[in-house]
Amino acid sequence: MTKLGIAIHGGAGTIRKSQMSLPKENNYREGLKEALLEGWKYLNENKSSVDAVERAVEVLENNSLFNAGRGSVFTNSGKHEMDASIMNGSNLDAGCVSNISNVKNPIRLARSIMDCSEFVYLNGRGAEEFARQMNLDFESDEYFFDKYRHEQYIDAIKENKVKLDHSGDPYSSETKLGTVGAVALDNKGNLAAATSTGGITNKKYERIGDSSIIGAGTYANNITCAVSCTGQGEFFIRTVAAYEVSALMEYRQLSLEEACNIVVNIKVKEIGGDGGLIAIDKDCNISLKFNTEGMYRAYISSNSDIYIGIYS
């Protein structure tokens, strides 16, 4: 029997039910469900896992509730700088992009880099130039403006929350660790992963987190699993978190669940990192691990009905 599966996330952090209104919670759940079912539809139409994760992330990027694409937070200069990456587990092809502005769907640009260039990683204005060559959609600054995100930005500027040395608390409950991502297994047994983010509020110096870095925020390998991470990017970079899950499975013969638990609750956590990840293995096992009070997450597979979760 052919196994299919897809999991998505919309960020992790201090997400408490006591601080969430019922209408807003329902909106988050509907947003997750829409993205999940879009990716699931692709898999059931015999499209590739790469197509499925790209489509699921694209839907999340179009939803201003999530910190990616249209819902991206503001940098210190009042702009939007977005990062994304995608990886094909069948051949280890990958595409990555960082610090881009006005590109409607950064994940589509990452896919174009993977499929239509000799490169893996493009940054900033050069990446935007390539997006124009690929005839990708651009949007005005007004498209990316969100009142709630702007209020976060004003508060962060006043309090000088984000600093280069990460002193203080740049990841408060009002600026949750926002990233979106998807992992999938298709009917040919191929795995894929994709991740996209708007970064952190009041970001300075064109900082780049883990979301656009293969091995840190995104990884896929048919031998083992596909992984997409969310959280304090510096810690996921330092632990090479996404690849570490795969390595633990390949070289220590751990299960997906065991490997994800070690990475999230030991390796990342012991150096002070918060966040989580989603992962799926070649046998369609799915793991959703996080060490925060919540993570927007959902999955569906041949082995299970639809699941949507927010709180721990």
Side-chain angles (χ1 to χ4, degrees):
M1 177 181 174
T2 300
K3 293 182 179 180
L4 303 174
I6 184 169
I8 65 172
H9 70 76
T14 307
I15 306 168
R16 300 188 182 113
K17 193 173 182 66
S18 61
Q19 297 176 333
M20 180 88 72
S21 68
L22 184 58
K24 190 168 186 178
E25 178 179 332
N26 289 337
N27 287 340
Y28 274 113
R29 290 184 180 277
E30 284 302 312
L32 290 168
K33 183 178 180 180
E34 179 188 4
L36 183 74
L37 292 182
E38 276 290 302
W40 182 238
K41 181 180 75 172
Y42 270 41
L43 292 176
N44 282 279
E45 291 174 348
N46 296 325
K47 294 182 179 179
S48 71
S49 54
V50 174
D51 291 333
V53 295
E54 180 188 21
R55 178 56 184 154
V57 167
E58 183 179 31
V59 173
L60 292 169
E61 288 177 337
N62 292 340
N63 188 330
S64 60
L65 285 173
F66 301 100
N67 178 20
R70 189 171 194 174
S72 295
V73 298
F74 289 82
T75 67
N76 177 258
S77 61
K79 303 294 184 181
H80 302 284
E81 294 175 354
M82 301 172 287
D83 306 340
S85 62
I86 192 167
M87 188 167 186
N88 184 341
S90 69
N91 55 14
L92 305 187
D93 280 354
C96 312
V97 63
S98 60
N99 285 326
I100 57 169
S101 299
N102 300 105
V103 177
K104 182 180 180 181
N105 292 111
I107 197 62
R108 291 192 63 195
L109 177 51
R111 175 74 185 272
S112 295
I113 293 168
M114 179 174 73
D115 290 349
C116 304
S117 83
E118 64 270 43
F119 308 117
V120 170
Y121 201 134
L122 296 180
N123 177 68
R125 304 295 83 81
E128 292 166 16
E129 179 183 350
F130 184 74
R132 291 186 181 92
Q133 291 179 9
M134 294 293 102
N135 294 315
L136 298 183
D137 292 335
F138 279 70
E139 294 289 350
S140 66
D141 290 342
E142 287 72 25
Y143 172 85
F144 295 93
F145 182 89
D146 179 80
K147 182 180 178 182
Y148 176 62
R149 298 294 189 202
H150 194 256
E151 289 172 354
Q152 289 179 335
Y153 163 64
I154 295 301
D155 289 342
I157 289 288
K158 289 177 180 177
E159 299 176 27
N160 194 27
K161 284 183 179 179
V162 175
K163 300 178 181 178
L164 185 62
D165 62 0
H166 299 284
S167 60
D169 179 20
Y171 303 95
S172 73
S173 61
E174 293 302 312
T175 53
K176 64 181 185 299
L177 312 179
T179 301
V180 305
V183 295
L185 173 71
D186 64 26
N187 63 359
K188 294 183 179 178
N190 292 324
L191 294 164
T195 312
S196 180
T197 187
I200 54 176
T201 300
N202 197 24
K203 183 186 86 167
K204 300 178 182 179
Y205 316 121
E206 296 187 347
R207 172 261 189 191
I208 297 171
D210 66 307
S211 298
S212 64
I213 300 176
I214 296 302
T218 304
Y219 191 74
N221 189 329
N222 277 9
I223 295 173
T224 52
C225 62
V227 183
S228 174
C229 301
T230 174
Q232 290 173 272
E234 283 69 18
F235 298 92
F236 284 77
I237 293 170
R238 288 161 59 189
T239 54
V240 201
Y243 174 72
E244 182 70 0
V245 173
S246 175
L248 288 169
M249 294 178 68
E250 183 174 1
Y251 301 115
R252 288 184 53 187
Q253 304 299 306
L254 298 186
S255 69
L256 180 72
E257 188 73 5
E258 290 170 330
C260 291
N261 184 61
I262 287 174
V263 170
V264 173
N265 291 314
I266 298 177
K267 290 184 176 292
V268 171
K269 194 171 184 178
E270 72 182 4
I271 62 170
D274 290 335
L277 58 79
I278 57 171
I280 186 170
D281 69 15
K282 59 185 178 62
D283 297 315
C284 206
N285 297 305
I286 292 172
S287 182
L288 316 171
K289 279 280 181 277
F290 54 99
N291 60 29
T292 55
E293 294 192 50
M295 181 171 75
Y296 298 104
R297 61 202 187 275
Y299 69 82
I300 187 170
S301 75
S302 305
N303 305 325
S304 64
D305 294 329
I306 187 170
Y307 167 84
I308 300 173
I310 295 178
Y311 313 106
S312 61

